Each structure stands twice: as C-alpha cells, then as structure tokens.
Amino acid sequence: MIRYTMFLRRRSILHSIDPRSKIILSLFLFTVCIFFNDPIYIGIIFFFLIISLKIFGKIEIKKTLSFLKPMLPFVVMIMLLWILLGSEKGNVIYQIWKLKIKDVNIEMAIAMGFRVLAMILSTFLLLMTTEQRDLVLALVKMKLPYEYGLTIAIALRYVPTLASLAVSITDAQKARGLELEKGNILEKIKKYVPILVPLIVKSIQLAQELAIAIETRAFGKPNRTFYRDLKFKFKDLVFLSAAVIFFVICLYLRIKRYGVLDI
Amino acid sequence: MLKVEDLCYEYESGFKLKNINFEVKGGESIGIIGENGSGKTTLVKNLIGLLRPKSGKILLNGEDTSKMSVAEIARTIGFVFQNPDNQIFASTVKEEVSFGPQNLKMDNIEEIVEDVLKKTDLFKYKDSHPFKLSGGEKQRLALASILVMNPKILILDEPTSGLDLRNARKLIGIVKNLQREGRTLILISHDMKLVSDLCERIILMKSGEIIADGGIKEIFNDSNLLEKTRLDLPEIAKLSKILEFGIVFDPEELYRKWRASND
Ligand SMILES: Nc1ncnc2c1ncn2[C@@H]1O[C@H](COP(=O)(O)OP(=O)(O)OP(=O)(O)O)[C@@H](O)[C@H]1O
Ligand SMILES: [Mg+2]
C-alpha cells in the first residue's frame, strides 16, 4: 500500500521537539554534509544520523534503511560517476581498456555516496518525526504566508493519493491489453496517453472538489486563528542550542580544513 | 478451464491470501462473496496477473499463468474494474472500445466494436464523447471495452454499485445474455439478490481464506456459516427458510410450494 506520509508515530524526544527547531536542525545537518569530503567524516555523520534516529526518535534502524532503499540506484549512479570521471590525480589501481580506476576517486566515491545518503537522512529526520500539519504550521509561524503553507500541505497530502490513482489506472489499462514494456521509445511514450488522460481528468476533478471544500471553510478571511498552536518550550531551547553548537563546531573544523581532502 | 492450486499472496501491509484452491469449469457462474477487506479483489487481481502469487499455481486451460503477461491473460480473462472513470481516455466511445482489440492486434476491429456496442446498447453514442455519458452508460462502456476482447471468462467487481434500478437491470440483462452464450462468469458483489440472480455457485471468503465453496442454496441454508459471516440473504430466501421450504429465489416457485403444502 502507498503510505500517505513518511511520518512514523512514536513517543520520543525528536517527536516532541518544536518543528521549527527541527527545520533548523535539518538545514544545519544538510549544510554540514557539504562542508566535508573526507569519507571518514561524512561516514561518521551518516552513522550518527541513523543512530540518533534510533536513540532520540525511536525509529528502528531497519525502518530507516527501508526508507533509504529506494534512493540506492541514485546513490550508486553518483558513486559510479565519481569512480569513472573523477580527478586526474592519484594512482591507478586498476585499468580496464581506457578506463583508469584511481584510489582517490574510490575514496571520493565513498564520500559522495555517504554525503548523498546523509543529506537525504537529514530531511528524512524532519519528515519521519513531524506530522505534516505541524510542519506546515511551523513554516507559517516562521512567516511563510498561509497560502503557501496550505499549498505545500495539499501537495504533500495528494502525492500518495495521485500515486495510488496512477496505479489503479495502469492496472485498468493493463487489463485491456496495454503493454508498457514493449516497443521503442516513441511507442512507449505514446502508451502513456491512456494513463495520463484519466489521471489528469481525475486530478482536475479532485482540485475542483478541493477548491469548493476550502471555499466553504471561509478560506481567505483575514486574521485567521489556529486550532493548534506551537509553543517554544525550554527543552526546545536546549535542543536548538545543541544544534547551533554542533553547527559551529563543524563550521570551525571546516575553516581549519579538517575533514577536507584536496583532490 | 481455470484452476487455482494452493495460491498464497501477501501484501506489504501484512494482509494474506492463504491456500486458495478452486476450479472453474467452462460456462459456470460463480459469485465470490465476503465482507469488506476479505480479499476478493486481491484474489481476482492474482487471477488476471496484476498481482503474482507468492506460491501456488494458476492454470488457465492447463497452462501455468506465471509465464504469461497480463495482456496474454486478458485474451481469456476479462476483468471489468469498479470505477469506469479510471480508464476512459479516448475522445469517442468507439475509439475507447477499440483500445483493447488494438493492443491485442485483433482482426476486423471495426466490426467487433460495432457488434459489442450494439450488445451493450451504446451504439447510438458511438461518436459521442465518453465523458458525456451517464454513470450507467459509463459502466456499460467499461464492460464493452472488456467484452470486445472476447474473453471466455468475465470477471465483474461490484458491477451494479452506484447504479439506479433501471441501469442495474440493463446491465444484468446484458450479463445474462453473455451467460446464455456460454461465457464463464465470476461475479464479486455484496448484493445477495444480484448474486442469487446470476450465480449457481458461491465462493465465500473471510480474512483471506475460502471458508465455503458450493451450491448457492446449500450455502444459504447453512446457518452456522451465515452467522459467522453475517451474510444477509435476499428477503425471499429468508421467507422461504422461515416457511421451511428451503432456499427459494423465485416468487412463483415459493407460491407453488406453499400451495402444495396447503393441499
Ligand atoms: N495495494 C494494497 N497494498 C496493501 N494492502 C492492500 C492493498 N489493497 C488492499 N489491501 C488490503 O488487503 C485487504 C483485502 O483487500 P481487498 O480489496 O482484496 O478486499 P475486498 O474483499 O475486495 O473488499 P471490498 O469488499 O471492500 O471490495 C484489505 O485489508 C486491504 O486493506
Ligand atoms: Mg474489492
């Protein structure tokens, strides 16, 4: 079944933290991944993230890995590109025909693999421990106009709905003999018409219904209040300070060029 | 014609079909019934190859379907989906119905399409836009676009839900004509009246298992089963049971029995 959100309900510290702090932490972690290119440093960040999710977020390591799994082809592609097209420096350790595989490039490929995974994890950390409505509320409280917040919420909400709709439509057309795998590229593109047309028609119908639903709830009336509110508590302050200290330490290391390899 | 041996299937969500065994003979009409979520649709999706069994076999005319594509299976088993809007994409009814035969590279498409449109009472709309059709007509269009591939076995999933009496009757009339032609019918429905009207045999499902398979009258007579699955018999069957005439679906037959018992 297609999941509606990435959110996993647990009773944990990470879940109880104010989403605004988590958004900031997420941005910090994301940036820190770009600071370093030493595989050891980035590797540490990656494992630190997985273990923190387990300890502070009560999210089983198996679960985290299952979320990362669909990203693997992407990661492998990036690593291959680094191995094949990386730096000119370094020692050749293996050569097939004209392709030279160099030690530095292997090192870089590992670093970049971890970097992409850690970047993905830093956003997952936010999405797995924060309910969508809290996320949107946090963005609005951070002065994002409510219209944009609502748009983001709707987009997040409808991605899985449309995905499962696309599956049903594809199933229906397959039962009418549609074979997506066959044919050359042009023919394949043409085969998506019977799937895209019903999908678009349905999406427009959904959008119209949604517009009416929003309209009937007095959307656009100024001075809206919120049913749920966010309170920035003492523990959020502690959490945010820890995140800032972590970021400053990493920034310092970066400026001193620790964890940065020259290639 | 169709034989299912020890079929097991499991969704990621944990729902399982367990050890499904049954055989369908040519020309039979079978009703698959059971509570919401008992696995009827899942079973049927396995039959047509949209889902593939985890273990066990499906034999179609003696041939194992695990090596056949959905399109190949569709030549013999036609599955009419619940929601016609999920498959309408063409700009005329005729074009819509031609989609299946084109995929299967059939001959004389023009002729068979016209023939099916006549059978399903849609011929007068052949050049109209499918989106302009009413709910009942769209349902018949969905049926037509499967029938046109001339499948020996026809599977209908809740064909009359959402239809008014007139449109439901029209659809039932069409299905009865197909039965007379000798086509095999598998009907999924919660409407026991419809099931008793069209089928002689019933497969009763509960929590992913077949808990009964047999003649409709036998099963409707089994009070234990009815209790266990909360089946609601057609009113006339309830009455005939109270009068101790067994299960009777035909009012005239009930009247005759009543007269006979009074003499
Ligand atoms: N794509 C899916 N992924 C995971 N679980 C699913 C999926 N589709 C259905 N299920 C689950 O499998 C179970 C059986 O569903 P199924 O649709 O086969 O039931 P059904 O007997 O057809 O019910 P209904 O009478 O409501 O149509 C349900 O519990 C459902 O939640
Ligand atoms: Mg169903």
Side-chain angles (χ1 to χ4, degrees), chain A residues 12-261:
Chain A
S12 83
I13 308 174
L14 267 181
H15 285 75
S16 67
I17 294 293
D18 188 295
R20 285 169 288 189
S21 324
K22 274 190 277 186
I23 292 176
I24 293 171
L25 174 74
S26 209
L27 285 176
F28 279 174
L29 286 166
F30 199 88
T31 322
V32 165
C33 296
I34 307 171
F35 283 178
F36 307 111
N37 66 4
D38 183 334
I40 296 173
Y41 275 69
I42 305 194
I44 289 173
I45 296 176
F46 173 74
F47 288 110
F48 164 78
L49 277 169
I50 290 196
I51 291 165
S52 323
L53 271 170
K54 170 79 185 100
I55 297 175
F56 302 113
K58 296 217 180 122
I59 289 169
E60 307 76 23
I61 295 180
K62 227 173 103 189
K63 197 96 209 176
T64 313
L65 294 181
S66 78
F67 275 132
L68 281 180
K69 211 168 124 198
M71 312 287 166
L72 270 186
F74 181 60
V75 174
V76 169
M77 205 179 71
I78 289 179
M79 291 179 71
L80 274 181
L81 284 177
W82 268 97
I83 292 179
L84 299 177
L85 312 168
S87 156
E88 292 291 308
K89 290 190 236 164
N91 311 312
V92 178
I93 52 172
Y94 197 77
Q95 183 162 8
I96 329 166
W97 186 50
K98 276 190 180 168
L99 290 174
K100 293 183 184 125
I101 305 213
K102 301 198 178 105
D103 51 357
V104 278
N105 287 341
I106 298 234
E107 210 174 356
M108 283 314 289
I110 295 171
M112 292 308 131
F114 275 134
R115 177 185 279 180
V116 175
L117 286 172
M119 282 172 155
I120 295 170
L121 267 188
S122 53
T123 33
F124 279 13
L125 176 130
L126 178 66
L127 297 176
M128 288 199 281
T129 63
T130 318
E131 278 192 73
Q132 276 172 12
R133 53 175 184 192
D134 287 343
L135 196 61
V136 172
L137 190 55
L139 289 171
V140 172
K141 294 279 172 181
M142 289 165 98
K143 298 284 173 278
L144 183 82
Y146 182 72
E147 288 77 3
Y148 295 102
L150 186 70
T151 310
I152 293 174
I154 290 172
L156 290 172
R157 162 66 185 75
Y158 276 93
V159 166
T161 309
L162 291 180
S164 69
L165 184 62
V167 172
S168 313
I169 293 173
T170 312
D171 278 354
Q173 305 300 34
K174 274 187 180 166
R176 295 167 77 192
L178 179 69
E179 289 180 290
L180 291 171
E181 309 81 28
K182 284 197 180 160
N184 60 36
I185 291 188
L186 267 177
E187 284 166 341
K188 274 186 186 159
I189 294 173
K190 235 182 101 187
K191 286 186 173 173
Y192 278 89
V193 172
I195 294 173
L196 287 176
V197 173
L199 191 61
I200 293 168
V201 171
K202 272 274 179 130
S203 315
I204 294 172
Q205 284 171 358
L206 270 175
Q208 282 172 340
E209 286 167 19
L210 192 66
I212 294 171
I214 293 174
E215 215 70 70
T216 55
R217 285 165 175 75
F219 179 73
K221 188 176 184 304
N223 302 331
R224 66 169 279 132
T225 53
F226 290 88
Y227 175 62
R228 286 164 67 86
D229 206 359
L230 298 175
K231 287 218 177 58
F232 205 77
K233 297 195 227 58
F234 180 68
K235 73 173 171 193
D236 296 312
L237 193 66
V238 175
F239 181 85
L240 192 59
S241 318
V244 171
I245 293 170
F246 166 77
F247 185 73
V248 170
I249 293 175
C250 290
L251 191 63
Y252 177 79
L253 289 173
R254 163 75 226 215
I255 292 168
K256 291 285 178 194
R257 301 194 70 76
Y258 286 104
V260 184
L261 300 179

Side-chain angles (χ1 to χ4, degrees), chain B residues 23 98 117 122 130 141 147 158 211 250 261 263:
Chain B
E23 192 174 345
S98 315
L117 287 178
L122 290 170
L141 176 61
L147 268 189
E158 285 290 353
I211 58 168
D250 178 22
S261 73
D263 285 343

Side-chain angles (χ1 to χ4, degrees), chain A residues 1 164-165 167-179 181-182 190-191 193-199 201-202 205, chain B residues 12-13 45 48 50 69-72 74 77 79 81 83 85-89 96-97 99-101 103-104 131 145-146 149:
Chain A
M1 201 174 28
S164 69
L165 184 62
V167 172
S168 313
I169 293 173
T170 312
D171 278 354
Q173 305 300 34
K174 274 187 180 166
R176 295 167 77 192
L178 179 69
E179 289 180 290
E181 309 81 28
K182 284 197 180 160
K190 235 182 101 187
K191 286 186 173 173
V193 172
I195 294 173
L196 287 176
V197 173
L199 191 61
V201 171
K202 272 274 179 130
Q205 284 171 358
Chain B
E12 276 173 36
S13 65
K45 281 190 176 171
I48 59 165
L50 286 174
S69 69
V70 181
E72 278 169 311
I77 310 184
F79 180 34
F81 273 79
N83 192 344
D85 280 335
N86 279 2
Q87 47 173 291
I88 294 176
F89 73 97
E96 184 70 42
V97 177
F99 181 64
N103 284 327
L104 300 186
F131 287 114
S145 56
I146 295 297
M149 296 185 288

